[in-house]
Amino acid sequence: MNSDQYPLIFDGHNDVLLKLLKSDTPDAHELFLNGDERGHLDLPRMRKGGFGGGFFAIYVPSNISLKDLFAEMSKPEYDVPLPHEIPFEDALPVAVSMAAILSRIERYSKGTVKICRNASDLRQCFENGTLAAIMHIEGAEAIGEDFSGLEVLYNAGLRSIGPVWSRPTRFGHGVPFRFPGSPDTGPGLTDLGKELISTCNHYKMVIDLSHLNEAGFWDVAKLSDAPLIATHSNAHALCAHSRNLTDRQLHAIRDSGGIVGLNFATSCIRSDGQSTTDTGIDQMLRHFDYLIEQLGIERVAIGSDFDGATISDEIKDVAGLGALRAQMRAHGFDEETMKKLCHQNWFDVLERTFGE
Ligand code: ZN
């Protein structure tokens, strides 16, 4: 067994579907399957890095300049204004296009990629070496008031919903990219948002708390009967970014039997909140230690944000995950712990969420 590539990593968040959508070609799935070396993710590089699968986000982009966003986030303190709400009729066609890219990836992968609908699908993929994808929507704009979008996307394989990205939706309110900042930035879920939570419970889908403001977080904690899951978030005590989770939130996640996926975005890792590739893996290990201390070893996992964030140049892209494993081992994590952090904890919490 090559310790560079094992244990395989199951990951809480990536934005490769957005990158493929922006490539603006009907053969976007081919770019993924054959590899095109752009950004952080494609299938050949995933194989090289021992990336066994993860959540693939459907994310409808806001009409904002990412260049302006990153320029704002290079200041010592920043507060990026929340983008406007995106109407259902604008969000739906984009969400369908992105779901279609993931469906085509599966269809043309010759059995090497599978959209997983339950935990036994995931475990089987890891046994056979098939890339395991969970279809996730980051910001539920495309769901619609009568949840018709949820019904259709569920049948296409959707198993995870983040009610908001960092902007308002008809369901709730996202946190801004603010540093330093608290996640307590406004009102909780709307009545429709509360209905969405019980619908997700009914369908046994993941409700993702990453990007949700604190009042919304507590609404979900109160209403949901599923384990609390933050797919890509870090510890606010170490990096006072509004996207990160306070100790109180971490304890609620622990008590629900939930999980936090460690986000590789350097602005959510560094104590100075800066978005720069010049960030050591040692900074990520601080968050692993802290999250394990607050949550326990069973409740911590990985949520890379590959293709959606600025990531340490010690990792560079998914092919560089071996460097992360090497530093985790050198840090003292034994093989049992490595397995838990890399994928086992995700599988366990998803099994309890999906109920099979
Ligand atoms: Zn995100």
Side-chain angles (χ1 to χ4, degrees):
M1 189 180 277
N2 179 352
S3 73
D4 253 20
Q5 288 179 307
Y6 292 95
L8 289 179
I9 282 173
F10 185 83
D11 173 46
H13 188 87
N14 78 63
D15 284 304
V16 72
L17 296 177
L18 179 64
K19 180 181 71 181
L20 294 170
L21 180 81
K22 285 181 171 170
S23 70
D24 209 17
T25 149
D27 298 327
H29 55 282
E30 296 290 347
L31 296 176
F32 177 84
L33 292 169
N34 300 328
D36 70 344
E37 294 291 321
R38 292 174 314 126
H40 297 139
L41 294 183
D42 55 40
L43 188 58
R45 280 182 291 166
M46 284 163 155
R47 295 259 180 257
K48 222 166 138 187
F51 183 103
F55 287 66
F56 283 62
I58 294 170
Y59 160 75
V60 179
S62 276
N63 197 10
I64 47 170
S65 147
L66 287 180
K67 220 174 126 199
D68 291 351
L69 179 76
F70 283 111
E72 174 67 23
M73 283 170 64
S74 66
K75 296 176 184 166
E77 296 190 353
Y78 48 85
D79 185 5
V80 182
L82 285 178
H84 295 301
E85 191 166 331
I86 298 179
F88 169 66
E89 55 273 24
D90 293 348
L92 185 64
V94 182
V96 168
S97 296
M98 294 175 81
I101 292 173
L102 187 58
S103 295
R104 289 190 195 110
I105 285 173
E106 181 187 53
R107 178 184 297 274
Y108 295 105
S109 72
K110 303 190 177 87
T112 61
V113 181
K114 182 175 172 63
I115 300 173
C116 294
R117 287 164 163 82
N118 52 50
S120 64
D121 281 354
L122 289 172
R123 293 187 201 278
Q124 226 166 48
C125 281
F126 266 52
E127 274 163 32
N128 317 333
T130 305
L131 184 81
I134 295 286
M135 191 190 285
H136 165 71
I137 192 159
E138 186 179 38
E141 289 86 352
I143 295 307
E145 205 157 342
D146 62 355
F147 299 165
S148 53
L150 187 150
E151 188 66 37
V152 173
L153 288 169
Y154 181 87
N155 275 324
L158 187 73
R159 289 295 179 273
S160 174
I161 294 186
V164 297
W165 183 66
S166 286
R167 66 190 170 215
T169 66
R170 61 176 78 220
F171 306 105
H173 305 267
V175 285
F177 295 98
R178 182 183 291 164
F179 182 89
S182 151
D184 189 10
T185 57
L189 298 179
T190 63
D191 287 344
L192 196 65
K194 292 174 183 170
E195 223 180 287
L196 178 64
I197 300 311
S198 53
T199 304
C200 287
N201 283 167
H202 176 76
Y203 282 76
K204 298 191 184 302
M205 298 171 84
V206 170
I207 301 157
D208 183 14
L209 296 160
S210 291
H211 290 277
L212 194 58
N213 67 357
E214 195 172 347
F217 176 99
W218 293 117
D219 281 339
V220 176
K222 197 166 80 188
L223 295 168
S224 176
D225 62 18
L228 298 176
I229 293 179
T231 57
H232 58 306
S233 291
N234 295 336
H236 196 271
L238 301 187
C239 166
H241 195 294
S242 49
R243 270 278 282 108
N244 285 339
L245 299 161
T246 65
D247 289 355
R248 247 189 97 216
Q249 290 178 300
L250 294 175
H251 297 155
I253 291 171
R254 174 196 64 200
D255 295 345
S256 77
I259 202 165
V260 175
L262 185 123
N263 187 346
F264 295 5
T266 65
S267 58
C268 295
I269 289 172
R270 297 167 60 98
S271 54
D272 65 3
Q274 291 301 291
S275 184
T276 166
T277 59
D278 185 15
T279 303
I281 289 175
D282 57 326
Q283 303 276 323
M284 300 166 70
L285 297 173
R286 288 169 62 233
H287 282 269
F288 267 131
D289 287 344
Y290 191 85
L291 291 173
I292 291 168
E293 190 186 302
Q294 299 298 318
L295 293 158
I297 188 66
E298 321 283 333
R299 306 274 164 259
V300 183
I302 286 174
S304 72
D305 217 346
F306 275 136
D307 278 331
T310 302
I311 281 166
S312 165
D313 57 16
E314 290 179 17
I315 297 178
K316 284 197 182 73
D317 66 10
V318 66
L321 282 173
L324 175 63
R325 285 188 194 85
Q327 288 212 33
M328 287 167 75
R329 287 191 170 97
H331 188 59
F333 293 148
D334 60 23
E335 286 314 301
E336 190 59 27
T337 302
M338 289 294 291
K339 211 174 148 195
K340 287 181 177 172
L341 296 174
C342 288
H343 63 258
Q344 195 61 54
N345 289 343
W346 263 128
F347 287 5
D348 290 349
V349 77
L350 290 175
E351 185 162 42
R352 279 180 283 118
T353 305
F354 298 149
E356 54 183 328

